[in-house]
Amino acid sequence: MKTRSLAGRVALATTLALTVTATAAACGSADGPAASGGPEKVTVWIMKDSVTDAFLDRFRTDFEARNKNIDLDIQIQEWDGIGEKVTAALASKDAPDVIEVGNTQVAQYAASGGVRDLSDKVAELNGADWLPGLAEPGKVDGRQYGIPWYAANRVVIYHKDHFAKAGVTPPGSQAEWLAVTEKLDTGTTQGIYLPGQNWYALSGFVWEEGGDLAVRDGAGWKGALDTPEARAGMDFYRRLQALGKGPKDSDEAKPPQADVFAKGDVAQIIAVPGGAKIVEEANPALKGKLGFFPIPGKTAGKPGAVFTGGSDLIVPEASTHPDAAYQVVKALAGETWQTDMARTMSYVPNRTSLARVIQDDEGTAAMAAGAAQGRATPNSPNWAAVEATNPVKQYMTAVLTGADPARAARAASESITKTLGS
Protein backbone atom coordinates (compact mmCIF):
# COMPACT_ATOMS: atom_id res chain seq x y z
CA MET A 1 0.00 0.00 0.00
CA LYS A 2 2.97 2.30 -0.25
CA THR A 3 2.62 2.86 -3.99
CA ARG A 4 -0.98 1.86 -4.61
CA SER A 5 -3.75 3.90 -2.98
CA LEU A 6 -5.96 2.18 -0.42
CA ALA A 7 -8.97 2.77 -2.66
CA GLY A 8 -7.18 1.14 -5.57
CA ARG A 9 -6.09 -1.82 -3.49
CA VAL A 10 -9.53 -2.30 -1.98
CA ALA A 11 -11.12 -2.09 -5.42
CA LEU A 12 -8.75 -4.76 -6.69
CA ALA A 13 -9.20 -6.83 -3.56
CA THR A 14 -12.98 -6.88 -3.76
CA THR A 15 -13.80 -7.24 -7.45
CA LEU A 16 -12.30 -10.66 -7.98
CA ALA A 17 -13.81 -13.60 -9.85
CA LEU A 18 -16.11 -15.78 -7.78
CA THR A 19 -15.73 -19.02 -9.71
CA VAL A 20 -12.99 -21.57 -9.27
CA THR A 21 -10.72 -22.08 -12.24
CA ALA A 22 -8.15 -24.76 -11.73
CA THR A 23 -6.31 -23.96 -14.90
CA ALA A 24 -3.48 -21.92 -13.43
CA ALA A 25 0.09 -23.06 -13.68
CA ALA A 26 1.91 -24.50 -10.71
CA CYS A 27 1.31 -22.20 -7.76
CA GLY A 28 4.50 -22.54 -5.80
CA SER A 29 6.96 -24.99 -4.45
CA ALA A 30 5.75 -27.35 -1.77
CA ASP A 31 8.93 -29.34 -1.35
CA GLY A 32 8.97 -31.58 1.69
CA PRO A 33 12.00 -32.34 3.82
CA ALA A 34 14.91 -33.55 1.79
CA ALA A 35 15.72 -37.26 1.84
CA SER A 36 18.74 -36.41 3.94
CA GLY A 37 16.49 -34.86 6.58
CA GLY A 38 16.97 -31.28 5.42
CA PRO A 39 14.62 -28.38 6.27
CA GLU A 40 11.09 -28.00 4.97
CA LYS A 41 10.65 -25.49 2.18
CA VAL A 42 7.67 -23.29 3.04
CA THR A 43 6.28 -21.07 0.26
CA VAL A 44 4.79 -17.72 1.23
CA TRP A 45 2.92 -15.41 -1.15
CA ILE A 46 3.21 -11.72 -0.27
CA MET A 47 1.56 -9.00 -2.34
CA LYS A 48 3.71 -6.46 -4.15
CA ASP A 49 4.34 -3.25 -2.17
CA SER A 50 2.67 -4.54 0.98
CA VAL A 51 6.04 -4.40 2.75
CA THR A 52 9.58 -3.50 1.77
CA ASP A 53 12.20 -5.97 0.63
CA ALA A 54 14.28 -4.95 3.64
CA PHE A 55 11.46 -5.95 6.01
CA LEU A 56 11.10 -9.34 4.33
CA ASP A 57 14.86 -9.89 4.46
CA ARG A 58 14.91 -9.13 8.20
CA PHE A 59 11.97 -11.44 8.79
CA ARG A 60 13.40 -14.32 6.74
CA THR A 61 16.80 -14.13 8.42
CA ASP A 62 15.34 -14.03 11.93
CA PHE A 63 12.70 -16.70 11.30
CA GLU A 64 15.10 -19.19 9.75
CA ALA A 65 17.59 -18.61 12.56
CA ARG A 66 14.87 -19.49 15.08
CA ASN A 67 13.45 -22.35 13.02
CA LYS A 68 16.40 -24.37 11.67
CA ASN A 69 14.06 -26.93 10.11
CA ILE A 70 12.32 -24.39 7.84
CA ASP A 71 13.49 -22.59 4.71
CA LEU A 72 11.26 -19.74 3.56
CA ASP A 73 10.53 -19.21 -0.12
CA ILE A 74 8.86 -15.80 -0.17
CA GLN A 75 7.30 -15.05 -3.54
CA ILE A 76 6.02 -11.57 -4.45
CA GLN A 77 2.66 -11.50 -6.25
CA GLU A 78 1.03 -8.82 -8.39
CA TRP A 79 -2.43 -7.55 -7.42
CA ASP A 80 -3.66 -7.67 -11.00
CA GLY A 81 -5.18 -11.09 -11.59
CA ILE A 82 -4.48 -12.33 -8.06
CA GLY A 83 -8.07 -13.42 -7.46
CA GLU A 84 -8.02 -16.02 -10.19
CA LYS A 85 -4.54 -17.15 -9.18
CA VAL A 86 -5.43 -17.65 -5.51
CA THR A 87 -8.72 -19.35 -6.36
CA ALA A 88 -6.88 -21.79 -8.62
CA ALA A 89 -4.22 -22.39 -5.96
CA LEU A 90 -6.82 -23.25 -3.35
CA ALA A 91 -8.36 -25.81 -5.70
CA SER A 92 -5.02 -27.38 -6.59
CA LYS A 93 -2.72 -29.90 -4.94
CA ASP A 94 0.27 -27.58 -5.34
CA ALA A 95 -0.69 -24.56 -3.25
CA PRO A 96 1.65 -22.22 -1.42
CA ASP A 97 1.70 -22.65 2.34
CA VAL A 98 0.79 -19.09 3.37
CA ILE A 99 -1.00 -16.44 1.32
CA GLU A 100 -1.55 -12.74 2.01
CA VAL A 101 -5.08 -11.75 0.96
CA GLY A 102 -7.12 -8.56 1.23
CA ASN A 103 -9.22 -8.64 4.38
CA THR A 104 -12.45 -8.44 2.36
CA GLN A 105 -11.41 -11.43 0.21
CA VAL A 106 -11.45 -14.03 2.96
CA ALA A 107 -15.17 -14.88 2.74
CA GLN A 108 -15.08 -15.65 -0.97
CA TYR A 109 -11.96 -17.81 -0.62
CA ALA A 110 -13.34 -19.63 2.41
CA ALA A 111 -16.51 -20.39 0.45
CA SER A 112 -14.41 -22.52 -1.89
CA GLY A 113 -13.54 -24.86 0.98
CA GLY A 114 -9.83 -24.54 0.27
CA VAL A 115 -8.80 -22.45 3.32
CA ARG A 116 -7.71 -24.02 6.61
CA ASP A 117 -9.79 -23.24 9.69
CA LEU A 118 -7.51 -21.65 12.30
CA SER A 119 -10.14 -21.10 14.98
CA ASP A 120 -8.22 -23.20 17.50
CA LYS A 121 -5.25 -20.80 17.19
CA VAL A 122 -7.12 -17.56 17.95
CA ALA A 123 -6.46 -17.57 21.71
CA GLU A 124 -2.76 -18.30 21.20
CA LEU A 125 -2.57 -15.40 18.73
CA ASN A 126 -4.24 -12.98 21.20
CA GLY A 127 -7.33 -12.74 19.05
CA ALA A 128 -9.27 -10.86 21.72
CA ASP A 129 -6.93 -7.91 21.03
CA TRP A 130 -7.34 -7.89 17.23
CA LEU A 131 -8.77 -4.91 15.38
CA PRO A 132 -12.43 -5.65 14.63
CA GLY A 133 -12.13 -4.43 11.04
CA LEU A 134 -9.52 -7.11 10.34
CA ALA A 135 -10.74 -9.90 12.60
CA GLU A 136 -14.41 -9.85 11.55
CA PRO A 137 -13.87 -10.32 7.78
CA GLY A 138 -11.52 -13.20 8.52
CA LYS A 139 -14.25 -15.02 10.42
CA VAL A 140 -16.90 -16.81 8.38
CA ASP A 141 -19.81 -18.75 9.89
CA GLY A 142 -18.09 -18.72 13.26
CA ARG A 143 -14.76 -20.03 11.98
CA GLN A 144 -11.54 -17.99 11.78
CA TYR A 145 -9.92 -18.50 8.38
CA GLY A 146 -8.02 -15.21 8.04
CA ILE A 147 -5.45 -14.06 10.60
CA PRO A 148 -5.17 -10.23 10.74
CA TRP A 149 -1.85 -8.91 9.48
CA TYR A 150 -2.06 -5.12 9.06
CA ALA A 151 -4.62 -2.36 8.63
CA ALA A 152 -5.05 1.08 7.13
CA ASN A 153 -8.01 3.41 7.19
CA ARG A 154 -8.93 6.93 6.24
CA VAL A 155 -8.39 10.06 8.30
CA VAL A 156 -8.92 13.75 7.63
CA ILE A 157 -5.88 15.51 6.17
CA TYR A 158 -6.14 19.26 6.70
CA HIS A 159 -4.34 22.43 5.63
CA LYS A 160 -3.07 24.07 8.82
CA ASP A 161 -2.90 27.57 7.33
CA HIS A 162 -6.58 27.53 6.36
CA PHE A 163 -7.56 26.34 9.83
CA ALA A 164 -5.47 29.07 11.46
CA LYS A 165 -6.90 31.76 9.20
CA ALA A 166 -10.46 30.68 10.01
CA GLY A 167 -9.65 30.51 13.73
CA VAL A 168 -10.69 26.86 14.05
CA THR A 169 -9.10 23.70 15.36
CA PRO A 170 -9.63 20.03 14.43
CA PRO A 171 -13.17 19.03 15.45
CA GLY A 172 -14.06 16.29 17.88
CA SER A 173 -17.59 15.44 16.75
CA GLN A 174 -19.66 15.34 13.58
CA ALA A 175 -21.66 18.40 14.60
CA GLU A 176 -18.47 20.35 15.25
CA TRP A 177 -17.00 19.08 11.98
CA LEU A 178 -19.89 20.56 10.01
CA ALA A 179 -19.59 23.87 11.88
CA VAL A 180 -15.81 24.07 11.37
CA THR A 181 -16.08 23.12 7.70
CA GLU A 182 -18.73 25.77 7.11
CA LYS A 183 -16.36 28.43 8.48
CA LEU A 184 -13.58 27.13 6.24
CA ASP A 185 -15.79 27.22 3.13
CA THR A 186 -15.28 30.83 2.08
CA GLY A 187 -15.79 30.68 -1.67
CA THR A 188 -12.11 31.14 -2.43
CA THR A 189 -11.32 28.17 -0.18
CA GLN A 190 -13.23 24.89 -0.21
CA GLY A 191 -14.18 23.76 3.26
CA ILE A 192 -13.65 20.18 2.14
CA TYR A 193 -13.07 18.41 -1.15
CA LEU A 194 -15.37 15.40 -0.99
CA PRO A 195 -16.31 13.76 -4.29
CA GLY A 196 -19.82 12.40 -4.50
CA GLN A 197 -18.94 8.73 -4.76
CA ASN A 198 -16.48 8.16 -1.91
CA TRP A 199 -18.50 5.19 -0.70
CA TYR A 200 -15.82 4.12 1.79
CA ALA A 201 -16.40 7.39 3.67
CA LEU A 202 -20.16 6.92 3.38
CA SER A 203 -19.87 3.42 4.84
CA GLY A 204 -18.32 4.87 7.99
CA PHE A 205 -21.09 7.45 8.34
CA VAL A 206 -23.71 4.72 7.90
CA TRP A 207 -22.07 2.49 10.52
CA GLU A 208 -21.75 5.45 12.89
CA GLU A 209 -25.54 5.85 12.75
CA GLY A 210 -26.03 2.17 13.53
CA GLY A 211 -26.87 1.17 9.95
CA ASP A 212 -25.17 -1.06 7.42
CA LEU A 213 -24.80 -1.60 3.68
CA ALA A 214 -26.33 -5.08 3.88
CA VAL A 215 -27.44 -7.38 6.68
CA ARG A 216 -28.09 -11.07 7.22
CA ASP A 217 -31.58 -12.20 6.22
CA GLY A 218 -32.02 -15.77 7.38
CA ALA A 219 -29.52 -17.83 5.44
CA GLY A 220 -28.95 -15.00 2.95
CA TRP A 221 -28.30 -11.27 2.80
CA LYS A 222 -30.32 -8.17 1.93
CA GLY A 223 -29.42 -4.58 1.16
CA ALA A 224 -29.93 -2.15 4.04
CA LEU A 225 -29.34 1.32 2.61
CA ASP A 226 -33.05 2.07 2.92
CA THR A 227 -33.09 1.83 6.73
CA PRO A 228 -33.51 5.08 8.72
CA GLU A 229 -30.00 4.68 10.14
CA ALA A 230 -28.33 4.22 6.75
CA ARG A 231 -30.27 7.13 5.28
CA ALA A 232 -29.10 9.31 8.19
CA GLY A 233 -25.52 8.45 7.27
CA MET A 234 -26.16 9.49 3.68
CA ASP A 235 -27.74 12.74 4.83
CA PHE A 236 -24.64 13.60 6.85
CA TYR A 237 -22.53 12.87 3.76
CA ARG A 238 -24.76 15.20 1.70
CA ARG A 239 -24.42 18.06 4.19
CA LEU A 240 -20.64 17.69 4.42
CA GLN A 241 -20.15 17.32 0.67
CA ALA A 242 -22.05 20.57 0.04
CA LEU A 243 -19.31 22.53 1.86
CA GLY A 244 -16.94 22.19 -1.08
CA LYS A 245 -16.87 21.79 -4.83
CA GLY A 246 -16.36 18.06 -5.14
CA PRO A 247 -17.99 16.44 -8.19
CA LYS A 248 -21.22 14.60 -7.46
CA ASP A 249 -20.77 11.88 -10.09
CA SER A 250 -17.23 10.52 -9.51
CA ASP A 251 -15.00 9.19 -6.78
CA GLU A 252 -11.70 10.33 -5.24
CA ALA A 253 -9.71 8.99 -8.20
CA LYS A 254 -11.44 11.11 -10.88
CA PRO A 255 -9.78 13.55 -10.68
CA PRO A 256 -7.14 12.39 -8.20
CA GLN A 257 -8.07 14.24 -5.02
CA ALA A 258 -4.42 14.61 -4.02
CA ASP A 259 -3.91 16.75 -7.12
CA VAL A 260 -6.90 18.89 -6.22
CA PHE A 261 -5.68 19.34 -2.65
CA ALA A 262 -2.19 20.20 -3.87
CA LYS A 263 -3.49 23.38 -5.52
CA GLY A 264 -3.69 24.88 -2.04
CA ASP A 265 -7.29 26.14 -1.95
CA VAL A 266 -8.82 23.13 -0.16
CA ALA A 267 -8.99 22.92 3.63
CA GLN A 268 -9.60 19.17 4.05
CA ILE A 269 -9.77 15.82 2.31
CA ILE A 270 -10.58 12.31 3.53
CA ALA A 271 -7.74 9.91 2.69
CA VAL A 272 -5.18 7.51 4.13
CA PRO A 273 -2.30 9.39 5.81
CA GLY A 274 0.07 8.43 3.00
CA GLY A 275 -1.98 10.68 0.75
CA ALA A 276 -0.23 13.64 2.36
CA LYS A 277 3.07 12.54 0.85
CA ILE A 278 1.49 12.49 -2.61
CA VAL A 279 0.15 16.01 -2.04
CA GLU A 280 3.58 17.26 -0.95
CA GLU A 281 5.22 15.69 -3.99
CA ALA A 282 2.78 17.55 -6.23
CA ASN A 283 3.28 20.81 -4.31
CA PRO A 284 6.44 20.91 -2.15
CA ALA A 285 5.33 24.28 -0.74
CA LEU A 286 2.77 22.40 1.36
CA LYS A 287 5.42 20.37 3.20
CA GLY A 288 4.96 20.91 6.92
CA LYS A 289 1.55 22.53 6.44
CA LEU A 290 -0.58 19.41 6.52
CA GLY A 291 -2.09 17.92 9.67
CA PHE A 292 -4.25 14.91 10.51
CA PHE A 293 -7.19 14.03 12.73
CA PRO A 294 -9.46 10.97 12.99
CA ILE A 295 -12.79 11.13 11.19
CA PRO A 296 -15.09 12.48 13.93
CA GLY A 297 -18.00 10.49 15.31
CA LYS A 298 -21.37 11.51 16.70
CA THR A 299 -20.02 11.47 20.27
CA ALA A 300 -17.59 14.27 21.14
CA GLY A 301 -14.06 13.00 21.60
CA LYS A 302 -14.73 9.58 20.10
CA PRO A 303 -13.58 8.84 16.52
CA GLY A 304 -16.24 7.77 14.08
CA ALA A 305 -16.60 4.37 12.46
CA VAL A 306 -14.35 3.86 9.44
CA PHE A 307 -13.80 1.31 6.72
CA THR A 308 -10.72 -0.76 7.53
CA GLY A 309 -8.68 -1.96 4.60
CA GLY A 310 -5.68 -4.20 4.94
CA SER A 311 -4.56 -7.80 4.71
CA ASP A 312 -5.07 -11.15 6.41
CA LEU A 313 -2.94 -14.28 6.22
CA ILE A 314 -4.48 -17.63 5.23
CA VAL A 315 -3.19 -21.20 5.10
CA PRO A 316 -4.53 -23.29 2.19
CA GLU A 317 -5.94 -26.73 2.95
CA ALA A 318 -3.59 -28.02 0.26
CA SER A 319 -0.51 -26.82 2.14
CA THR A 320 1.85 -29.75 2.60
CA HIS A 321 3.45 -28.04 5.60
CA PRO A 322 0.50 -26.74 7.67
CA ASP A 323 2.35 -26.75 10.99
CA ALA A 324 5.32 -24.85 9.60
CA ALA A 325 2.92 -22.52 7.76
CA TYR A 326 1.22 -21.71 11.05
CA GLN A 327 4.57 -20.84 12.61
CA VAL A 328 5.12 -18.30 9.82
CA VAL A 329 1.66 -16.81 10.40
CA LYS A 330 2.23 -16.74 14.16
CA ALA A 331 5.51 -14.86 13.74
CA LEU A 332 4.16 -12.30 11.24
CA ALA A 333 1.09 -11.68 13.40
CA GLY A 334 3.10 -11.51 16.63
CA GLU A 335 4.20 -8.44 18.56
CA THR A 336 7.82 -8.34 17.35
CA TRP A 337 7.07 -8.24 13.65
CA GLN A 338 3.87 -6.26 14.03
CA THR A 339 5.91 -3.55 15.73
CA ASP A 340 8.63 -3.65 13.07
CA MET A 341 6.10 -3.49 10.24
CA ALA A 342 4.09 -0.66 11.80
CA ARG A 343 7.20 1.49 12.16
CA THR A 344 8.58 0.54 8.75
CA MET A 345 5.39 0.91 6.74
CA SER A 346 3.30 3.34 8.86
CA TYR A 347 0.56 0.72 9.09
CA VAL A 348 -1.80 0.12 11.98
CA PRO A 349 -0.79 -3.10 13.79
CA ASN A 350 -3.32 -5.91 14.03
CA ARG A 351 -3.73 -5.42 17.80
CA THR A 352 -5.34 -2.47 19.54
CA SER A 353 -2.76 -2.68 22.35
CA LEU A 354 0.07 -2.00 19.89
CA ALA A 355 -1.24 1.41 18.82
CA ARG A 356 1.38 2.89 21.17
CA VAL A 357 4.21 1.95 18.80
CA ILE A 358 3.12 4.52 16.20
CA GLN A 359 2.09 7.40 18.45
CA ASP A 360 5.09 9.49 17.40
CA ASP A 361 3.73 9.82 13.84
CA GLU A 362 0.77 12.22 13.65
CA GLY A 363 -0.87 10.69 10.60
CA THR A 364 -0.48 7.08 11.69
CA ALA A 365 -1.60 7.91 15.23
CA ALA A 366 -4.78 9.48 13.85
CA MET A 367 -5.29 6.37 11.71
CA ALA A 368 -4.81 4.07 14.69
CA ALA A 369 -7.34 6.04 16.74
CA GLY A 370 -9.89 5.55 13.97
CA ALA A 371 -8.97 1.90 13.48
CA ALA A 372 -10.36 1.07 16.90
CA GLN A 373 -13.78 1.88 15.38
CA GLY A 374 -12.98 0.04 12.14
CA ARG A 375 -15.43 -2.08 10.20
CA ALA A 376 -15.38 -4.02 6.94
CA THR A 377 -17.85 -4.57 4.13
CA PRO A 378 -20.61 -7.20 4.54
CA ASN A 379 -18.98 -10.57 4.97
CA SER A 380 -20.70 -12.27 2.05
CA PRO A 381 -18.72 -14.21 -0.58
CA ASN A 382 -20.82 -12.34 -3.17
CA TRP A 383 -19.93 -8.84 -1.97
CA ALA A 384 -17.28 -8.57 -4.70
CA ALA A 385 -20.05 -8.86 -7.27
CA VAL A 386 -21.85 -5.91 -5.64
CA GLU A 387 -18.78 -3.74 -6.06
CA ALA A 388 -18.45 -4.75 -9.70
CA THR A 389 -21.49 -2.57 -10.54
CA ASN A 390 -21.52 -0.64 -7.24
CA PRO A 391 -25.10 0.55 -6.76
CA VAL A 392 -23.83 2.39 -3.66
CA LYS A 393 -22.02 4.92 -5.86
CA GLN A 394 -25.05 5.28 -8.08
CA TYR A 395 -27.25 5.85 -5.04
CA MET A 396 -24.94 8.56 -3.71
CA THR A 397 -24.93 10.48 -6.98
CA ALA A 398 -28.71 10.20 -7.22
CA VAL A 399 -29.22 11.73 -3.77
CA LEU A 400 -26.64 14.47 -4.31
CA THR A 401 -28.24 15.49 -7.60
CA GLY A 402 -31.75 15.84 -6.20
CA ALA A 403 -33.40 12.42 -6.41
CA ASP A 404 -35.85 11.40 -3.70
CA PRO A 405 -33.56 9.92 -0.97
CA ALA A 406 -36.02 7.24 0.13
CA ARG A 407 -36.70 6.03 -3.40
CA ALA A 408 -33.00 6.02 -4.32
CA ALA A 409 -32.11 4.11 -1.14
CA ARG A 410 -34.79 1.54 -1.82
CA ALA A 411 -33.58 0.99 -5.38
CA ALA A 412 -29.97 0.57 -4.22
CA SER A 413 -30.97 -1.87 -1.50
CA GLU A 414 -32.98 -3.95 -3.96
CA SER A 415 -30.00 -4.10 -6.31
CA ILE A 416 -27.69 -5.21 -3.49
CA THR A 417 -30.16 -7.86 -2.35
CA LYS A 418 -30.49 -9.26 -5.85
CA THR A 419 -26.71 -9.49 -6.34
CA LEU A 420 -25.99 -11.00 -2.93
CA GLY A 421 -28.63 -13.63 -3.58
CA SER A 422 -27.35 -14.58 -7.00
Side-chain angles (χ1 to χ4, degrees):
M1 292 191 339
K2 299 301 284 185
T3 61
R4 185 188 294 278
S5 70
L6 177 62
R9 286 200 54 198
V10 169
L12 284 169
T14 55
T15 57
L16 302 171
L18 298 178
T19 56
V20 174
T21 55
T23 58
C27 302
S29 174
D31 297 342
S36 60
E40 297 177 89
K41 186 175 182 180
V42 175
T43 302
V44 182
W45 281 5
I46 299 295
M47 300 310 301
K48 184 178 181 180
D49 298 326
S50 282
V51 290
T52 62
D53 291 343
F55 172 87
L56 291 176
D57 288 343
R58 289 196 300 274
F59 174 75
R60 180 192 292 107
T61 299
D62 181 81
F63 184 87
E64 291 181 348
R66 294 173 183 272
N67 298 271
K68 301 294 187 181
N69 62 324
I70 299 174
D71 279 347
L72 291 184
D73 177 20
I74 299 176
Q75 300 179 5
I76 304 302
Q77 305 295 317
E78 297 283 347
W79 281 103
D80 292 341
I82 191 60
E84 293 88 342
K85 190 171 183 179
V86 171
T87 301
L90 296 177
S92 76
K93 295 181 180 179
D94 187 24
D97 299 290
V98 179
I99 306 177
E100 174 196 352
V101 300
N103 61 321
T104 57
Q105 295 175 318
V106 178
Q108 70 184 66
Y109 293 145
S112 73
V115 182
R116 184 171 293 271
D117 178 7
L118 297 174
S119 300
D120 62 337
K121 305 296 186 184
V122 172
E124 182 180 4
L125 296 173
N126 293 316
D129 195 26
W130 286 339
L131 292 174
L134 284 182
E136 291 170 4
K139 191 173 186 178
V140 183
D141 295 330
R143 297 181 176 90
Q144 195 76 42
Y145 295 98
I147 303 303
W149 192 24
Y150 66 83
N153 51 268
R154 288 160 177 76
V155 300
V156 181
I157 304 176
Y158 72 98
H159 194 308
K160 294 179 180 179
D161 288 355
H162 292 315
F163 270 59
K165 184 177 180 180
V168 297
T169 56
S173 69
Q174 285 188 342
E176 188 182 355
W177 194 15
L178 287 174
V180 164
T181 305
E182 187 172 7
K183 288 184 179 180
L184 291 163
D185 193 40
T186 64
T188 56
T189 298
Q190 295 185 58
I192 189 169
Y193 179 80
L194 180 59
Q197 294 184 347
N198 187 337
W199 72 279
Y200 297 114
L202 171 65
S203 298
F205 300 159
V206 168
W207 292 326
E208 184 67 12
E209 293 287 348
D212 212 332
L213 308 180
V215 295
R216 287 276 191 180
D217 182 27
W221 291 81
K222 67 176 181 180
L225 287 172
D226 55 342
T227 63
E229 295 82 4
R231 287 181 54 194
M234 181 64 223
D235 188 62
F236 178 79
Y237 191 102
R238 178 190 60 78
R239 295 167 65 193
L240 186 65
Q241 202 267 344
L243 299 175
K245 300 175 183 177
K248 294 177 171 58
D249 60 352
S250 64
D251 60 22
E252 59 270 41
K254 300 176 183 178
Q257 67 174 2
D259 292 347
V260 177
F261 197 29
K263 294 178 182 178
D265 61 351
V266 173
Q268 308 168 84
I269 59 171
I270 298 174
V272 293
K277 294 182 175 64
I278 300 173
V279 172
E280 291 171 354
E281 287 174 0
N283 183 359
L286 292 179
K287 190 172 181 62
K289 295 185 177 183
L290 303 181
F292 310 83
F293 59 87
I295 293 176
K298 295 182 68 176
T299 303
K302 181 181 179 181
V306 291
F307 170 78
T308 300
S311 286
D312 282 19
L313 300 169
I314 63 172
V315 176
E317 285 282 12
S319 166
T320 54
H321 311 294
D323 293 337
Y326 170 67
Q327 293 305 316
V328 174
V329 171
K330 182 180 178 181
L332 286 171
E335 182 172 350
T336 297
W337 292 102
Q338 284 291 302
T339 300
D340 188 309
M341 182 167 59
R343 290 173 173 164
T344 299
M345 305 301 299
S346 296
Y347 288 156
V348 177
N350 63 5
R351 305 183 194 181
T352 57
S353 63
L354 291 179
R356 67 183 187 279
V357 306
I358 49 175
Q359 290 302 313
D360 56 347
D361 182 278
E362 182 185 0
T364 312
M367 185 166 62
Q373 312 301 321
R375 296 275 298 274
T377 50
N379 205 13
S380 164
N382 283 356
W383 184 256
V386 173
E387 291 192 23
T389 56
N390 212 323
V392 183
K393 286 186 173 184
Q394 299 164 30
Y395 159 62
M396 297 172 73
T397 293
V399 172
L400 295 176
T401 54
D404 177 68
R407 183 176 299 175
R410 187 163 54 251
S413 292
E414 290 172 353
S415 177
I416 291 172
T417 300
K418 181 178 180 180
T419 302
L420 291 180
S422 63

